Amino acid sequence: MKPAVTYELLHIDKSTGARRGVIHTPHGDIQTPIFMPVGTLATVKSMTPEELKDEVKAQIILSNTYHLYLRPGSKIVKEAGGLHKFMNWDKPILTDSGGFQVFSLGDLRTISEEGVEFKSHLDGSKHFFTPESVMETEEDLGADIIMAFDECCPYPSTYEYTKNSMERTTRWAKRCKEAHKTENQALFGIIQGGFFKDLRIQSTKDLVELDLPGYAIGGISVGEPKEEFLDILRFTTPLMPEDKPRYLMGVGTPDYLIEAAIAGIDMCDCVLPTRIARNGTALTSYGKVVVRNATYERDWGPLDSECDCYTCKNYTRAYIRHLVKTKEILGVRLLSIHNLRFLTNLMEKVRIEIENDNLAKFRDEFYKKYGYTD
């Protein structure tokens, strides 16, 4: 039986080895490499689905299993017809497993072989996630791509802790595969192993043997120095199957997105563009702009003169600063549209440069203009 989600390779950039492809899903094709906006609670904060499609040009969005399990509850979403109908989004959706959120609870959770007992960050109520229960929740939500339940190690962690965690993640992935029954969803495995290369090799090998339709790299971009991030990224990606989607979890800065593409990654996601928008910060071709600063009080130009987004076509830095300073919600919305579009537009350019075998030159020129020093 053909998997619900498949990958088609279109071109490999001769200058870097980056790959240009298409991921075929039940709700449409995804041109890769791609940045995926995060809609934690079945919404990308302050954005309507129409804005995401028409202004941001998002091809796929993410939602969060942990948060939707707590509110409104996966059964409510299922009753509504699944996430697509619940939130009025007709393009592909990916749901994470909630693993990262659960393990971020620290003292509020207890890990066992069976699963994780945790207290809700909302009201302290007790809950228990197992691979089987997470599969049931994700099937209720109805996303095109669902992630296996895994354990994300904190940084730094000892070799012994990381090894035990990685091996448990593999066992949980097997249980997820056995429990997953919905044919129009694709279950992706998550490669763990922290910053130990032998563990990354073992994790990849064990998960690839499960023959899942896609794989993600987890457990990096968790607070480590950039050099360590790049080392593990560049080491792990070539170990992954070439004929299946490759997903790097939790990455959203322009340099990390470009480096991920060069390493051979197809999909990245991050809450960064909307989070910094709420703090009055814009991503631009020449680096970050903290538009709330006084220097923009009489700045009648757009956030980014090179940007094609709705915000930059219609509003000035001075006006957006005024909105941010007065805590008007429109300021957050305009900055969110811009930041999201900046990243989706960046990846459109990356795809073109891959097709032209020119990504290495593009990276160097982008870094120089943006202000990156490494």
Side-chain angles (χ1 to χ4, degrees):
M1 183 179 295
K2 184 179 179 181
V5 170
T6 58
Y7 176 78
E8 178 184 359
L9 177 65
L10 299 180
H11 186 77
I12 295 179
D13 173 43
K14 293 181 176 62
S15 71
T16 63
R19 51 193 231 160
R20 169 80 173 87
V22 182
I23 299 173
H24 303 287
T25 84
H27 283 88
D29 291 345
I30 305 165
Q31 303 298 320
T32 66
I34 185 72
F35 172 76
M36 306 181 289
V38 177
T40 302
L41 282 161
T43 174
V44 177
K45 290 191 184 302
S46 81
M47 297 289 94
T48 66
E50 291 75 21
E51 287 168 331
L52 288 170
K53 284 187 283 188
D54 299 338
E55 305 298 340
V56 174
K57 296 179 172 55
Q59 301 183 59
I60 176 176
I61 60 174
L62 275 70
S63 283
N64 182 266
T65 297
Y66 166 81
H67 288 285
L68 292 173
Y69 161 83
L70 293 176
R71 294 182 300 181
S74 63
K75 298 303 179 187
I76 296 291
V77 176
K78 182 179 181 181
E79 187 177 331
L83 270 178
H84 289 92
K85 289 186 177 179
F86 186 56
M87 65 183 296
N88 191 34
W89 175 259
D90 59 5
K91 289 180 176 291
I93 297 176
L94 183 152
T95 48
D96 61 14
S97 68
F100 180 80
Q101 285 71 30
V102 168
F103 294 108
S104 298
L105 293 172
D107 294 339
L108 296 177
R109 51 91 171 135
T110 304
I111 306 169
S112 66
E113 184 62 28
E114 181 60 22
V116 182
E117 182 180 76
F118 63 94
K119 293 181 180 179
S120 165
H121 72 288
L122 299 172
D123 59 11
S125 58
K126 285 188 177 182
H127 304 269
F128 194 66
F129 271 8
T130 67
E132 292 78 13
S133 72
V134 167
M135 288 298 95
E136 180 180 355
T137 299
E138 291 198 82
E139 288 179 351
D140 287 347
L141 296 175
D144 302 84
I145 299 171
I146 65 175
M147 304 306 298
F149 193 47
D150 68 319
E151 180 180 351
C152 181
C153 287
Y155 177 86
S157 293
T158 65
Y159 182 87
E160 181 180 9
Y161 181 96
T162 305
K163 182 174 185 294
N164 290 335
S165 171
M166 178 273 291
E167 291 173 345
R168 182 183 293 117
T169 288
T170 299
R171 293 191 294 272
W172 284 357
K174 292 177 181 177
R175 288 167 57 187
C176 285
K177 182 180 180 181
E178 292 172 359
H180 177 236
K181 304 301 181 185
T182 306
E183 293 181 356
N184 64 346
Q185 289 181 311
L187 172 64
F188 282 22
I190 303 176
I191 298 164
Q192 292 290 351
F195 294 85
F196 303 99
K197 292 182 177 179
D198 62 323
L199 298 184
R200 288 284 172 179
I201 292 172
Q202 189 64 49
S203 178
T204 307
K205 177 178 178 294
D206 293 343
L207 290 174
V208 168
E209 287 178 357
L210 296 179
D211 193 27
L212 300 172
Y215 294 93
I217 299 176
I220 62 175
S221 189
V222 289
E224 74 281 357
K226 185 176 182 179
E227 295 75 21
E228 292 188 42
F229 164 83
L230 290 174
D231 185 41
I232 292 299
L233 169 66
R234 293 165 179 168
F235 178 82
T236 306
T237 308
L239 304 174
M240 303 167 76
E242 295 181 355
D243 61 343
K244 296 181 179 181
R246 298 167 171 174
Y247 169 25
L248 175 60
M249 307 180 81
V251 165
T253 59
D255 57 333
Y256 275 34
L257 290 175
I258 293 172
E259 294 298 340
I262 289 173
I265 292 293
D266 306 304
M267 311 158 67
C268 295
D269 78 285
C270 195
V271 299
L272 175 125
T274 51
R275 177 172 288 172
I276 66 172
R278 297 193 296 277
N279 295 324
T281 300
L283 299 167
T284 80
S285 303
Y286 295 87
K288 288 183 180 179
V289 169
V290 184
V291 76
R292 66 167 57 248
N293 289 350
T295 186
Y296 303 111
E297 185 177 17
R298 289 180 171 82
D299 190 328
W300 313 120
L303 289 171
D304 186 347
S305 60
E306 299 179 19
C307 181
D308 66 358
C309 81
Y310 169 82
T311 302
C312 289
K313 288 178 180 177
N314 293 284
Y315 300 99
T316 65
R317 291 179 175 185
Y319 179 61
I320 296 170
R321 177 182 184 271
H322 159 70
L323 295 175
V324 170
K325 294 293 286 185
T326 55
K327 296 182 170 56
E328 286 289 343
I329 191 64
L330 180 59
V332 174
R333 283 179 31 75
L334 293 177
L335 282 167
S336 294
I337 290 173
H338 167 76
N339 285 345
L340 289 165
R341 178 57 189 151
F342 181 85
L343 294 182
T344 60
N345 188 37
L346 171 63
M347 299 314 288
E348 288 173 9
K349 293 175 182 176
V350 166
R351 293 195 292 272
I352 292 171
E353 299 300 339
I354 291 174
E355 292 170 357
N356 294 331
D357 298 311
N358 194 50
L359 187 55
K361 182 179 179 182
F362 172 82
R363 173 191 58 187
D364 295 343
E365 292 175 348
F366 179 89
Y367 280 13
K368 183 177 180 181
K369 186 162 63 172
Y370 196 88
Y372 287 125
T373 56
D374 53 349

